[in-house]
């Protein structure tokens, strides 16, 4: 017994080993077969990562798996992927592997996992799926498969159909399909089950949006006549059941189609079943009355030139529904809609919404519309007449809005247009008439940071334009009263068009931030952070003539604002904008742009008669341009040209600001009580009383860039002391200035008076000494250093020159007197006598000057005296600053 078991075990082990090993002997043959079939039948590039053969998976059949198959098109769709799959598996009898080349091979089962198939037709009519070779090798029986399929599956796959000529797109996702049948017999049956999500769009309009469709169908196969008959079939569109019957017959140039379908029940609950379950929720407990019926016929030739004719009707009469958890009912529902094509030409397909009426509470809403030329430039003709309380939307239907909305909408509108006219703003082809009114509308949108409350709005519709008369609204703390015209309301509502118009707007209070878009925060890498950024809404394309009592921007309150605002492409251009602020007048021109990653501005500001203290304390920009001005009291005229970037709060990024300015001070004095800078200057320059500094009619120019302000040299006066100031400071409050004081001699005290005591008064008054003060550090911690070198040199030179001139004059007088006495008044002197006279005068003068002092000793003595005098000027003294009588 043990021997028998041992032999049996060894035999089974050998068989199992053969089942594992033998496929490797056939794998090369299978690989060659697949490549040959591809090359003989397809005009495309086919690649796969692996091909395997197993006798274990499908025992007693062979199991062939092709992994990572990718089919790529050649011209005219070069390098575009036609199909890709994770793997395709074939199950067949082992004996099929031993057939000779040319013998038909029977495949019993096929499984496709995670396939993506893209069918595409370009604008020239080329199809990317025309990849089979034409000719004898492809059409003959050589190397062909005979399908004796009893089971096939397509799992978790997707299909895209794109027709660029008609702008039609069909997308199938989560596609799962399986079937059983025998394809080799002339007549047989195929049992199929299909589940998928379907999206359909024609000319950018979505007719199906991820709608769930299921289908259970038994299809009769008549292969000899290429006819496929639907015998017992039931499908679902979302939760709406549809039964259909008919056939599809394959012809040489297309398909002959004859199919009818309808929903088997007529309860109005079937209408709710059409809506995706995510939106309609659980409809089992919904109370309904009335009927709902869908019937359709599709019949005719489907070919490259024609489509089948069809007639699909959707009807409902006097229906109603109420969700059990919601307070209100929708009643008096009447639907009469048909989708037809009576010619077989795709362009002649049209939708006729003859009636679509309903009532909520006592509000009656009626509408009708026709849609023609759907596959190309769709023509729309619609009429809407009724009242709709927007707050009732969530009270009758389980819909969750991104933002709550309420208000009363009344309309009586006729409109006719084509979609191309909407997209190109061809107003002559947009025919509107009627009125729309809105009362107590309140809603929130991402376009504005606060809810928008429209207390009343009345619109008269004309061809291509809408007249606002008037429009009253509030958002945040701002109010708005608008009249004007809108040129593209239909395009704005139905497509991605701009809100174009020309408006007159007035407001009692207008806060700029109430009308700025807030961008979503970035959610990138952890290293990136971003706060919400304000943007000018990109849907605005309009001209606004504004008049506001108060406009608030940042912390500024502008009064009596008037001007024109042009908004387009997230750019606001300001034209002749004037206002009153800081007890003066302000004029602004320029633009603010937010269509780039970093918002920027380019403005010209003209201020007239500004209160200096109020303006420099109120505007951060002015504080940084001239921080010293916060110590001033008086009036200011200035013209500032500046440009730079804005931060997320719409405030200037100071280091990016550049430009230039011209400033003029009027009736100005210094308020230096709390200024460390003035205190340090007074300590270093005790001969100047800054309270008495004359700043009237002071004019200065300055330029700014890269975070620094360069002040051009300007002159001011303290009594009879002329002062020249120039230098730079940074937006970081660092300073580097130089002030040169030209000090008259009379301020120099008794030492200098004794030194120049014999100088004429006129000569003394002509003497002035330049004293330089270098101011560095920062405005909060300044450092003042005086430079006496130029003053010492200047005063020394002046004193020596005056003393020398006095000595020369004295000596000349003595010599003239001596020579006159010697030679008398003889007027007939020869040239030799004159020359001798000059030589004698010079010698006598040199002797006189030399006897008083040598040049070196005079210069040294005078210089020391001057240093002592000037040094005393900058020492603190316990005496009044103003010592001049």
């Amino acid at each position: 017994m043990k021997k028998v078991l041992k032999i049996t075990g060894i035999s089974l082990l050998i068989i199992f080993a053969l089942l594992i090993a033998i496929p490797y002997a056939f794998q090369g043959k299978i690989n060659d077969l697949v490549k040959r079939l591809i090359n003989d039948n397809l005009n495309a590039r086919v690649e796969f990562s692996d091909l395997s053969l197993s006798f274990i998976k499908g025992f007693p059949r062979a199991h062939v798996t092709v992994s990572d198959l990718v089919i790529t098109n050649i011209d005219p769709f070069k390098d575009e992927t036609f199909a890709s799959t994770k793997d395709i598996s074939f199950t067949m009898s082992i004996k099929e592997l031993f057939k000779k080349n040319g013998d038909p091979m029977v495949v019993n089962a096929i499984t496709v996992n995670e396939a993506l198939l893209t069918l595409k037709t370009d604008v020239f009519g080329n199809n990317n799926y025309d990849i089979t070779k034409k000719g004898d090798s492809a059409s003959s029986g050589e190397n062909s498969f005979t399908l004796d399929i009893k089971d096939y599956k397509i799992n978790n796959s997707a299909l895209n159909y794109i027709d660029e000529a008609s702008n039609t797109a069909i997308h199938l996702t989560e596609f799962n399909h399986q079937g059983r049948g025998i394809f080799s017999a002339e007549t047989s049956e195929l049992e199929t089950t299909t589940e998928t999500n379907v999206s359909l769009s024609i000319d950018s309009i979505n007719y199906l949006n991820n709608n769930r469709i299921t289908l259970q169908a038994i299809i009769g196969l008549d292969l000899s006549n290429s006819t496929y008959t639907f015998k017992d079939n039931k499908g679902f569109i979302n939760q709406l059941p549809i039964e259909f019957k008919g056939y599809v017959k394959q012809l040489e140039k297309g398909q002959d189609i004859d199919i009818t379908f309808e929903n088997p029940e007529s309860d109005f609950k079937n209408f709710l079943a059409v809506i995706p379950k995510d939106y309609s929720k659980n409809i089992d407990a919904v109370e309904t009355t009335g009927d709902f019926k869908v019937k359709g016929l599709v019949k005719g030739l489907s070919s490259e030139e024609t489509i089948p004719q069809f007639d699909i009707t959707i009807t409902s009469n006097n229906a109603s529904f109420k969700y059990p958890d919601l307070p209100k009912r929708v009643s008096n529902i009447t639907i009469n809609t048909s989708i037809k094509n009576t010619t077989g030409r795709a362009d002649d397909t049209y939708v006729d919404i003859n009636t679509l009426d309903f009532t909520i509470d006592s509000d009656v809403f009626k509408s009708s519309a026709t849609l023609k030329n759907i596959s190309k430039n769709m023509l729309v003709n619609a009429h809407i007449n009724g009242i709709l309380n927007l707050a009732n939307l969530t009270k009758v239907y389980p819909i969750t809005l991104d933002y709550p909305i309420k208000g009363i909408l009344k309309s009586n509108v006729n409109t006719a247009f084509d979609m191309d006219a909407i997209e190109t703003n061809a107003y002559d082809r947009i025919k509107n008439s009627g009125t729309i009114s809105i009362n107590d509308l309140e809603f929130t949108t991402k376009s504005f940071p606060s809810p928008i409350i429209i207390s009343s709005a009345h619109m008269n519709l004309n061809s291509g334009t809408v007249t606002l008369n008037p429009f009253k609204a509030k958002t945040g703390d701002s109010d708005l009263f608008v009249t004007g015209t809108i040129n593209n309301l239909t395009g704005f509502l139905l497509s991605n068009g701009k809100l174009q118009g020309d408006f007159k707007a007035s407001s009692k209070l207008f806060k700029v931030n109430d009308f700025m878009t807030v961008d979503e925060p970035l959610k990138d890498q952890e290293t990136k952070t971003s706060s919400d950024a304000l943007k000018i809404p990109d849907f605005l394309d309009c001209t606004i003539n504004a008049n506001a009592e108060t406009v608030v921007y940042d912390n500024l309150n502008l009064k009596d604002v008037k001007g024109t605002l042009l908004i387009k492409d997230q750019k606001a251009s300001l034209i002749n904008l004037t206002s009153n602020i800081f007890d003066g007048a302000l004029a602004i021109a320029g633009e603010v742009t937010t269509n780039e990653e970093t918002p920027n501005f380019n403005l010209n500001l003209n201020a007239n008669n500004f209160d200096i203290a109020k303006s420099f304390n109120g505007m951060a920009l002015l504080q940084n341009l001239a921080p010293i001005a916060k110590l001033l009291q008086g009036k200011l005229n200035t013209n500032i040209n500046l440009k730079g970037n804005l931060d997320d709060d719409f405030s200037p990024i100071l280091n990016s600001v550049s430009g230039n300015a011209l400033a003029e001070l009027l009736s100005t004095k210094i308020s230096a009580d709390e200024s460390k800078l003035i205190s340090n200057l007074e300590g270093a320059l005790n001969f100047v009383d800054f309270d008495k500094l004359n700043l009237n009619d002071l004019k200065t120019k300055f330029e700014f860039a890269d975070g620094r302000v360069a002040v051009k040299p300007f002159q001011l006066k303290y009594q009879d002391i002329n002062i020249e100031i120039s230098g730079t400071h940074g937006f970081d409050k660092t300073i580097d200035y130089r002030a040169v004081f030209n000090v008259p001699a009379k301020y120099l005290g008794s030492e200098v008076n004794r030194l120049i005591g014999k100088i004429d008064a006129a000569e003394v008054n002509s003497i002035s000494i330049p004293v330089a003060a270098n101011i560095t550090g920062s405005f909060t911690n300044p450092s003042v250093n005086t430079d006496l070198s130029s003053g010492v040199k200047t005063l020394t030179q002046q004193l020596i020159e005056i003393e020398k001139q006095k000595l020369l004059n004295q000596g000349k007088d003595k010599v003239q007197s001596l020579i006159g006495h010697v030679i008398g008044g003889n007027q007939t002197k020869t040239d030799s006598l004159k020359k001798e006279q000059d030589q004698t005068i010079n010698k006598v003068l040199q002797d006189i000057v030399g006897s008083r002092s040598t040049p070196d000793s005079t210069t040294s003595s005078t210089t020391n005296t001057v240093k002592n005098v000037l040094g005393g000027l900058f020492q603190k003294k316990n005496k009044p600053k103003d010592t001049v009588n």
Side-chain angles (χ1 to χ4, degrees):
M1 184 67 179
K2 290 183 179 180
K3 186 175 181 180
V4 172
L5 292 175
K6 184 176 181 180
I7 294 172
T8 302
I10 292 173
S11 300
L12 291 174
L13 182 61
I14 292 173
I15 293 172
F16 185 75
L18 289 173
L19 290 174
I20 295 175
I22 290 175
Y24 290 100
F26 291 95
Q27 195 154 312
K29 179 180 178 180
I30 298 296
N31 192 62
D32 292 341
L33 174 62
V34 171
K35 289 183 178 179
R36 186 171 67 252
L37 287 172
I38 290 171
N39 292 329
D40 290 346
N41 291 278
L42 298 182
N43 282 317
R45 187 169 69 251
V46 181
E47 300 173 345
F48 52 88
S49 64
D50 186 36
L51 187 147
S52 62
L53 171 64
S54 173
F55 291 153
I56 301 296
K57 286 184 179 181
F59 187 82
R61 295 186 176 89
H63 188 86
V64 179
T65 301
V66 180
S67 300
D68 301 321
L69 177 69
V70 178
I71 302 176
T72 306
N73 285 110
I74 57 177
D75 291 334
F77 299 92
K78 187 176 181 180
D79 297 330
E80 293 185 11
T81 300
F82 169 64
S84 63
T85 66
K86 181 179 180 181
D87 57 67
I88 302 178
S89 299
F90 305 89
T91 301
M92 64 191 74
S93 174
I94 294 177
K95 68 180 180 179
E96 299 299 316
L97 300 175
F98 296 93
K99 288 187 175 181
K100 298 180 180 179
N101 291 342
D103 292 339
M105 180 176 288
V106 177
V107 176
N108 302 110
I110 299 176
T111 300
V112 179
N113 292 315
E114 297 182 22
L116 174 60
L117 179 65
T118 300
L119 307 178
K120 185 176 181 180
T121 301
D122 64 18
V123 293
F124 304 105
N126 300 309
N127 301 314
N128 73 333
Y129 46 87
D130 289 338
I131 61 174
T132 56
K133 287 184 177 180
K134 308 296 189 295
D136 294 339
S137 63
S139 61
S140 67
E142 183 181 359
N143 298 329
S144 63
F145 279 104
T146 296
L147 296 180
D148 185 11
I149 296 177
K150 295 180 180 177
D151 184 21
Y152 72 91
K153 294 180 180 179
I154 302 174
N155 300 321
N156 196 24
S157 297
L159 182 146
N160 298 318
Y161 171 76
I162 301 171
D163 188 337
E164 294 180 344
S166 62
N167 197 16
T168 300
I170 301 174
H171 302 284
L172 306 183
T173 58
E174 298 182 33
F175 181 80
N176 292 281
H177 173 78
Q178 63 181 11
R180 296 176 61 85
I182 300 174
F183 289 84
S184 58
E186 288 188 359
T187 60
S188 59
E189 290 184 348
L190 176 64
E191 297 181 14
T192 65
T193 300
T194 306
E195 294 182 351
T196 188
N197 296 327
V198 180
S199 296
L200 168 64
S201 65
I202 301 175
D203 200 22
S204 301
I205 297 177
N206 293 325
Y207 293 93
L208 295 174
N209 185 18
N210 209 34
N211 292 82
R212 190 66 175 172
I213 290 180
T214 61
L215 173 65
Q216 296 176 349
I218 298 177
I219 303 174
L221 305 179
D222 184 353
L223 299 182
S224 60
N225 296 306
S226 299
T227 301
Y228 309 94
T229 304
F230 297 97
K231 293 184 174 182
D232 185 9
N233 309 282
K234 188 174 184 179
F236 290 84
I237 301 176
N238 291 323
Q239 301 176 71
L240 174 68
I242 295 289
E243 293 180 351
F244 57 98
K245 59 184 178 181
Y247 68 86
V248 176
K249 183 174 183 179
Q250 185 68 38
L251 303 177
E252 183 177 350
K253 294 185 178 181
Q255 299 86 32
D256 178 24
I257 299 175
D258 189 346
I259 297 174
T260 60
F261 60 89
E262 65 177 325
N263 59 318
E265 303 171 359
S266 60
D267 194 313
F268 185 76
K269 191 172 292 186
N270 288 327
F271 171 78
L272 300 178
V274 179
I275 303 169
K277 189 174 182 179
D278 290 343
Y279 299 103
S280 64
K281 310 301 180 184
N282 184 10
I283 65 173
D284 293 337
V286 176
E287 301 174 10
T288 63
T289 62
D291 59 6
F292 177 77
K293 198 70 178 176
V294 177
K295 295 182 65 175
L297 167 67
V298 181
K299 185 174 184 179
L301 178 65
S302 175
S303 65
E304 293 183 0
E305 293 81 21
T306 63
I307 64 172
Q309 300 176 31
F310 53 84
D311 185 355
I312 302 170
T313 60
I314 303 171
T315 57
S316 178
N317 294 289
N318 196 27
S320 70
F321 70 87
K322 181 184 181 302
Y323 279 81
D325 297 329
L326 297 178
K328 294 186 180 295
R329 173 184 295 271
V330 180
S331 58
N332 299 326
I333 301 172
T334 301
I335 302 173
N336 186 359
T337 298
S338 60
I339 307 172
K340 293 185 178 182
N341 184 294
T342 59
T343 65
R345 296 193 310 169
D347 295 347
D348 293 335
T349 300
Y350 68 93
V351 178
D352 184 5
I353 306 173
N354 185 60
T355 305
L356 178 57
D357 301 343
F358 60 87
T359 300
I360 303 176
D361 287 341
S362 59
D363 298 335
V364 178
F365 189 88
K366 296 183 177 182
S367 63
S368 62
T370 59
L371 311 177
K372 297 182 179 180
N373 199 32
I374 293 177
S375 61
K376 290 188 177 179
N377 180 24
M378 187 169 64
L379 306 175
V380 179
N381 194 323
H383 175 68
I384 299 173
N385 184 11
I387 302 174
L388 187 60
N389 186 338
L390 300 177
N392 284 336
L393 294 178
T394 56
K395 295 179 180 179
V396 299
Y397 192 76
I399 185 173
T400 301
L401 301 176
D402 291 336
Y403 304 100
I405 186 171
K406 62 182 180 180
I408 307 298
L409 173 66
K410 297 180 181 180
S411 65
N412 188 357
V413 174
N414 291 292
T415 182
F417 56 86
D418 62 90
M419 292 306 299
D420 183 65
I422 296 294
E423 295 173 359
T424 60
N425 297 331
Y427 303 125
D428 58 323
R429 301 206 308 271
I430 303 174
K431 309 299 182 183
N432 295 323
S433 63
T435 61
I436 299 175
S437 64
I438 299 172
N439 293 286
D440 301 322
L441 175 65
E442 183 176 346
F443 68 98
T444 302
T445 171
K446 288 191 295 185
S447 298
F448 293 96
S450 301
I452 298 173
I453 302 172
I454 302 175
S455 57
S456 65
H458 187 81
M459 292 172 277
N460 292 315
L461 278 66
N462 304 299
S463 295
T465 64
V466 176
T467 302
L468 282 177
N469 190 23
F471 175 92
K472 297 179 182 179
K474 289 192 67 175
T475 180
D477 296 323
S478 302
D479 64 272
L480 198 60
F481 183 92
V482 181
T483 61
T485 58
I486 302 174
N487 297 327
N488 190 35
L489 182 62
T490 309
F492 173 68
L493 296 175
L494 298 183
S495 67
N496 295 323
K498 305 290 186 180
L499 183 60
Q500 299 174 332
D502 191 345
F503 307 103
K504 290 183 178 179
S506 60
S507 174
K508 292 183 178 180
L509 174 62
F510 188 95
K511 290 187 175 181
V512 173
N513 283 358
D514 287 341
F515 293 85
M516 304 307 297
T517 300
V518 179
D519 274 359
E520 294 292 331
L522 294 176
K523 297 180 180 179
D524 294 340
Q525 303 97 314
E526 293 181 359
T527 55
K528 290 186 178 180
T529 60
S530 175
S531 60
D532 293 344
L534 296 175
K535 295 286 186 181
I536 298 172
D538 61 357
F539 62 80
L540 291 178
D541 180 3
C542 56
T543 300
I544 302 174
N545 294 296
N547 187 340
E549 293 182 13
T550 301
V551 173
V552 178
Y553 169 62
D554 199 7
N555 64 332
L556 301 179
N557 293 325
L558 293 88
K559 300 294 184 180
D560 298 325
V561 177
K562 298 177 182 179
T564 300
L565 186 64
L566 303 180
I567 302 177
K568 185 176 183 179
D569 299 329
Q570 290 190 299
K571 177 187 293 185
S573 300
L574 289 76
I575 301 174
N576 297 326
L577 186 66
T578 62
S579 71
N580 296 323
I581 187 173
F582 306 132
D583 299 336
L586 175 66
I588 305 175
E591 60 188 30
V592 176
T593 305
T594 65
N595 58 9
E596 300 176 5
E597 183 176 353
T598 302
N600 59 81
F601 67 95
N602 189 343
L603 298 175
N604 177 271
L605 307 179
N606 190 289
N608 186 36
N609 213 33
F610 265 23
D611 182 282
I612 296 176
K614 291 182 180 179
S615 61
F616 280 81
N617 289 328
M619 293 183 67
L621 178 64
L622 293 182
Q623 292 176 16
N624 286 279
L625 292 181
I628 190 65
K630 70 179 181 179
L631 306 176
L632 305 180
Q633 293 179 350
K635 296 293 185 178
L636 167 71
N637 293 336
T638 185
N639 184 273
I640 305 175
N641 296 293
L642 70 164
K643 61 182 179 180
N645 296 331
L646 298 169
D647 63 17
D648 292 339
D649 295 323
F650 250 54
S651 296
I653 300 174
L654 294 178
N655 288 336
S656 72
V657 175
S658 63
N660 58 78
L662 173 65
E664 179 183 15
L665 302 181
L666 306 172
S667 304
T668 306
K669 64 179 182 178
I670 292 179
S671 176
D673 294 340
E674 299 180 0
S675 170
K676 192 172 182 180
L677 175 61
I678 299 300
S679 175
N680 287 8
L681 281 171
E682 287 182 334
L685 305 169
N686 68 345
F687 59 91
V688 177
D689 184 353
F690 282 88
D691 289 337
K692 297 181 180 181
L693 194 64
N694 183 7
L695 301 180
N696 290 336
D697 301 324
L698 172 64
K699 295 182 180 180
T700 182
K701 295 180 180 179
F702 50 93
E703 297 177 351
F704 41 93
D706 301 324
R708 293 203 69 80
V709 179
V711 179
K712 302 298 182 181
F714 65 92
Q715 307 289 331
L716 55 86
K717 199 174 185 67
Y718 168 69
Q719 295 183 353
D720 52 357
I721 298 176
N722 293 320
I723 307 172
E724 181 179 273
I725 300 176
S726 63
T728 67
H729 66 265
F731 292 159
D732 58 358
K733 300 298 187 291
T734 59
I735 52 177
D736 185 7
Y737 277 89
R738 180 178 176 86
V740 179
F741 298 78
N742 291 292
V743 183
K746 63 183 179 181
Y747 289 93
L748 304 182
S750 59
E751 294 89 343
V752 173
N753 289 334
R754 286 196 297 270
L755 186 65
I756 57 176
K758 296 181 181 181
I759 299 176
D760 294 338
E763 292 175 331
V764 172
N765 292 334
S766 68
I767 297 175
S768 63
I769 302 94
V771 178
N774 296 314
I775 309 166
T776 56
S778 67
F779 282 100
T780 57
N781 188 25
S783 174
V784 179
N785 297 308
T786 54
D787 181 6
L788 305 181
S789 58
S790 60
V792 169
K793 182 177 180 181
T794 300
L795 181 56
T796 300
Q797 293 292 339
Q798 291 183 25
L799 291 177
I800 291 175
E801 185 62 31
I802 292 172
E803 182 67 18
K804 178 180 177 181
Q805 191 63 44
K806 286 178 63 180
L807 293 175
L808 288 175
N809 290 338
Q810 292 174 3
K812 185 175 180 181
D813 290 341
K814 291 182 179 181
V815 171
Q816 289 284 9
S817 176
L818 178 62
I819 293 176
H821 178 73
V822 172
I823 64 175
N826 191 343
Q827 300 298 317
T828 57
K829 300 292 184 288
T830 63
D831 292 340
S832 61
L833 288 175
K834 289 181 179 181
K835 182 177 182 181
E836 183 179 352
Q837 177 184 340
D838 291 339
Q839 291 174 349
T840 302
I841 291 173
N842 288 334
K843 184 175 185 303
V844 173
L845 288 174
Q846 289 176 4
D847 292 341
I848 294 173
V849 174
S851 65
R852 292 288 185 93
S853 65
T854 63
D856 290 340
S857 62
T858 300
T859 301
S860 177
S861 174
T862 305
T863 299
N864 291 332
T865 303
V866 169
K867 285 184 177 180
N868 293 334
V869 171
L870 294 182
L873 286 174
F874 303 103
Q875 296 176 359
K876 291 184 179 180
K877 300 179 181 179
N878 297 321
K879 64 180 182 178
K881 299 176 186 177
D882 188 2
T883 59
V884 180
N885 296 324

